[in-house]
Amino acid sequence: MPTTPNTASTSDRSGNQAEPTAKVSSTAHAEPASPAGKRPAPPCTLVIFGAGGDLTKRLLMPALYNLAVDGLLDDGMKIIGVNHGERETKEWVDDLHKSLQQFAADKASTFHAGKLDDKAWDWVAQRLEYMAGEFETDDVFTQLKQKLEKSSGGNVIFYLAVSSRFFKPITEHLGGAGLLKESDDGKSGFRRLVIEKPFGTDLASARDLNEHILSFAQESQVYRIDHFLGKDTVQSILAVRFANALFEPVWRREYIDSVQITAAETIGVEGRGAFYEQTGAFRDMLPNHLFQLLGMVAMEPPNSFDAEAVRNKKADIFDAIKPLTPDDVVFGQYEKGPAGVGYREEPDVAKDSTTETYAAARVFVENWRWAGVPFYLRTGKRLAARRTEISVQLKPVPFRLFRDTPVDALTPNVLTLRIDPAHGTSFDFNVKTPGPVMQIGAVKSSFDYADFFAERANVGYETLLYDCMLGDETLFQRADSIETSWAAVDDVLHPKTGGAVPVHGYAAGSEGPAEADALLARDGHAWRLLREEATPEKK
Ligand code: BG6
């Protein structure tokens, strides 16, 4: 993660210095931090396996375009798209252009750039080349090798934007063709491998995949993506925690009562029924995206933004998670409701499917800072609202002072870090209401990014691609963390006793299954409402 402190220069892990960045003030409507001060990434060839896929169209191309707009790509960059099926480069490029224009014009799309900057698009388009090939045959790798030998610089990123069943064969072929080899003196340029999610489906498969990949590449060449870490609001968790004196002193079990981490979606499985049937909400979101959020909230302060410094602290958290048992989780599946049909009516889904579309968990981190503090995690499709956020609830204060007043109870302080779709933070606290009597009113103080900074069209992959080109692995998953995360949930996926975790119904468009409420009620807690802000009404 390239850091842009107020006045200092930015530097990556290799210590290369960038120009000083613009100062970001904390007053309203401050100038946004300009990326113009950052240096362009080094020249490289980006080889995208899965050039015809959704990820390439929706996220990688918009991200490359945004990086081009910001002038962060080197003129020597090339992008080779590999996919099965013969096509002319021009046809591929025209298709990408059309999609980009559609996304740019669509306010609901993450890439709502408005009108495309033709100059930036032409810059990207001139560097695109399509290559037809089957991912499991030697042919395509031999051809690739010839192409790459001719390209300048020798730096290559292989991006596996493909179904996870191709991760092993593509890596094996790349390794077999010598395409992952870097010379010891580093003069031949870098070779990096970007691997998308899902990285395994449980501990055994993740270990096996790591072992396979690491027999062809060094750990330092492997960039395992969790796209949540590409979100500015997620990266900002460390800034909120460690750039302010207010939070860190109370950020511990002595003061924190509980933490809720929510990734609620209103969409259903969106034509991904076949994938989802095999995956389910728990595997899709919990040991990866939600654990990453947990890691950012719970980690100890690192001494620097150096990739290993940050990843070591996060790894400590995954390692300290008390292994979950089936008793710690609740699964749900949406049924017909106000938001539409039930999951079993979706295309490519079995009529008697028991795949969960909702998962909630009660997680404990067994270390000195967090022992005894429950972290409640939940995620689901077709819920009442789209909301990704983290709410940190503080412990109640002593009540004695208010005993002889009309106050019967105090609302707990809650700091909410809003990740999506709202970007910002809010803090619930208590004040005296106006008037002669000591009455307490619960109020909310909010910060919204849009009120302070110009919104930038950002699909979340810009930083990830740029960091990979720079060789900064801070925002990528290390093999050990992937495995400890899967290890923490292995007993839920493969219960040692009893059967599979039961799946409870919930109405499409609701707050989730009632059993998830019971999971928190056991501890005297309740989920924050999705549909409405859990805030007091303005009087
Ligand atoms: C993906 C999951 O990794 O993350 C999807 O496979 C989910 O099922 C998505 O919808 C959520 O990401 P975001 O950025 O839209 O919150």
Side-chain angles (χ1 to χ4, degrees):
M1 174 167 46
T3 56
T4 53
N6 277 356
T7 49
S9 303
T10 60
S11 74
D12 67 10
R13 286 183 312 117
S14 58
N16 293 320
Q17 296 292 306
E19 291 301 306
T21 55
K23 184 166 176 158
V24 180
S25 113
S26 59
T27 49
H29 306 292
E31 280 298 303
S34 159
K38 288 189 193 168
R39 69 202 159 98
C44 72
T45 302
L46 174 65
V47 179
I48 305 175
F49 290 93
D54 224 40
L55 180 74
T56 303
K57 195 162 64 180
R58 285 183 179 277
L59 297 164
L60 299 184
M61 282 304 150
L64 287 166
Y65 163 86
N66 282 337
L67 288 171
V69 169
D70 285 344
L72 290 175
L73 301 176
D74 187 275
D75 270 337
M77 168 138 204
K78 277 194 179 155
I79 304 158
I80 302 177
V82 185
N83 215 61
H84 48 78
E86 290 295 335
R87 295 180 92 177
E88 291 297 322
T89 291
K90 182 172 180 323
E91 197 191 326
W92 180 53
V93 174
D94 287 349
D95 264 9
L96 292 172
H97 190 203
K98 219 180 283 164
S99 313
L100 233 64
Q101 281 172 319
Q102 278 166 7
F103 297 143
D106 176 3
K107 285 214 170 78
S109 150
T110 27
F111 181 68
H112 47 82
K115 196 184 160 318
L116 283 191
D117 172 342
D118 291 337
K119 226 170 115 198
W121 169 249
D122 287 346
W123 190 96
V124 175
Q126 279 161 21
R127 286 161 177 81
L128 293 170
E129 181 183 345
Y130 183 80
M131 211 184 116
E134 298 296 329
F135 305 146
E136 286 173 291
T137 61
D138 290 338
D139 234 27
V140 65
F141 298 89
T142 317
Q143 269 186 61
L144 208 47
K145 192 167 183 183
Q146 286 162 1
K147 269 191 206 304
L148 292 173
E149 269 159 11
K150 283 189 228 141
S151 76
S152 60
N155 296 331
V156 187
I157 296 174
F158 298 102
Y159 198 119
L160 274 50
V162 291
S163 154
S164 56
R165 73 192 154 94
F166 292 117
F167 292 170
K168 277 184 165 187
I170 293 179
T171 313
E172 190 167 341
H173 276 97
L174 287 172
L179 287 166
L180 293 172
K181 209 162 165 33
E182 292 178 343
S183 65
D184 292 340
D185 59 7
K187 286 196 179 136
S188 65
F190 61 71
R191 296 294 161 115
R192 295 180 184 143
L193 189 62
V194 182
I195 304 194
E196 270 291 335
K197 194 180 138 262
F199 198 94
T201 53
D202 61 5
L203 176 59
S205 56
R207 266 191 190 146
D208 176 57
L209 184 55
N210 269 331
E211 204 177 303
H212 181 88
I213 291 168
L214 295 174
S215 63
F216 298 103
Q218 304 292 320
E219 176 61 30
S220 59
Q221 295 176 273
V222 186
Y223 289 67
R224 300 173 192 80
I225 290 236
D226 185 306
H227 81 274
F228 267 42
L229 293 178
K231 297 175 192 271
D232 275 331
T233 42
V234 172
Q235 292 163 33
S236 182
I237 297 170
L238 296 192
V240 170
R241 285 189 57 196
F242 302 131
N244 297 295
L246 184 62
F247 305 116
E248 199 48 24
V250 296
W251 212 260
R252 55 195 67 250
R253 64 189 166 122
E254 288 82 358
Y255 298 98
I256 289 181
D257 169 86
S258 57
V259 179
Q260 290 193 18
I261 302 181
T262 297
E265 298 182 277
T266 47
I267 54 169
V269 286
E270 304 284 283
R272 292 198 307 158
F275 160 79
Y276 211 75
E277 275 288 86
Q278 301 299 316
T279 311
F282 188 79
R283 281 188 167 90
D284 191 31
M285 300 288 290
L286 211 116
N288 30 64
H289 299 326
L290 296 193
F291 272 20
Q292 284 303 321
L293 297 183
L294 190 155
M296 299 292 262
V297 171
M299 68 192 267
E300 293 298 318
N303 278 352
S304 73
F305 280 106
D306 172 88
E308 288 323 303
V310 174
R311 298 198 303 175
N312 285 342
K313 296 293 182 195
K314 235 185 323 152
D316 284 345
I317 294 298
F318 302 136
D319 186 47
I321 289 178
K322 182 176 177 204
L324 275 68
T325 69
D327 204 34
D328 298 316
V329 300
V330 170
F331 284 0
Q333 185 187 80
Y334 61 86
E335 295 170 343
K336 191 167 179 297
V341 299
Y343 174 68
R344 291 179 183 181
E345 273 72 64
E346 300 277 12
D348 302 322
V349 170
K351 294 285 165 240
D352 57 354
S353 170
T354 53
T355 299
E356 81 284 359
T357 59
Y358 175 100
R362 181 169 166 267
V363 178
F364 287 99
V365 178
E366 293 181 305
N367 65 12
W368 276 89
R369 188 189 280 261
W370 294 114
V373 178
F375 287 78
Y376 300 116
L377 276 47
R378 67 177 156 167
T379 183
K381 303 274 185 203
R382 283 268 189 267
L383 288 169
R386 158 112 168 104
R387 182 177 294 217
T388 302
E389 67 181 26
I390 299 161
S391 292
V392 179
Q393 180 171 325
L394 280 91
K395 288 199 163 154
V397 296
F399 192 74
R400 177 63 187 90
L401 174 63
F402 302 97
R403 205 191 284 166
D404 305 323
T405 72
V407 177
D408 346 297
L410 294 168
T411 311
N413 288 156
V414 178
L415 175 72
T416 299
L417 305 171
R418 301 221 169 89
I419 311 293
D420 267 328
H423 300 154
T425 59
S426 68
F427 185 56
D428 299 343
F429 64 109
N430 299 303
V431 295
K432 178 188 170 294
T433 57
V437 182
M438 175 48 87
Q439 257 305 4
I440 298 293
V443 297
K444 185 185 282 293
S445 164
S446 298
F447 148 71
D448 193 327
Y449 270 81
D451 292 339
F452 282 75
F453 309 109
E455 287 271 30
R456 298 171 56 77
N458 186 329
V459 294
Y461 274 69
E462 290 81 354
T463 312
L464 297 173
L465 282 169
Y466 177 67
D467 282 4
C468 179
M469 292 174 202
L470 289 181
D472 184 342
E473 292 181 281
T474 314
L475 298 177
F476 296 87
Q477 308 309 299
R478 229 168 42 188
D480 58 337
S481 284
I482 293 253
E483 291 180 19
T484 35
S485 298
W486 279 118
V489 301
D490 211 49
D491 196 29
V492 171
L493 300 173
H494 307 293
K496 290 191 192 72
T497 53
V501 175
V503 179
H504 307 281
Y506 63 97
S510 70
E511 295 275 330
E515 289 75 4
D517 297 339
L519 179 75
L520 269 66
R522 286 197 321 225
D523 303 338
H525 287 125
W527 292 110
R528 291 172 71 78
L529 283 181
L530 295 174
R531 191 180 299 283
E532 292 158 272
E533 289 277 57
T535 52
E537 294 282 309
K538 268 194 190 163
K539 295 264 160 32

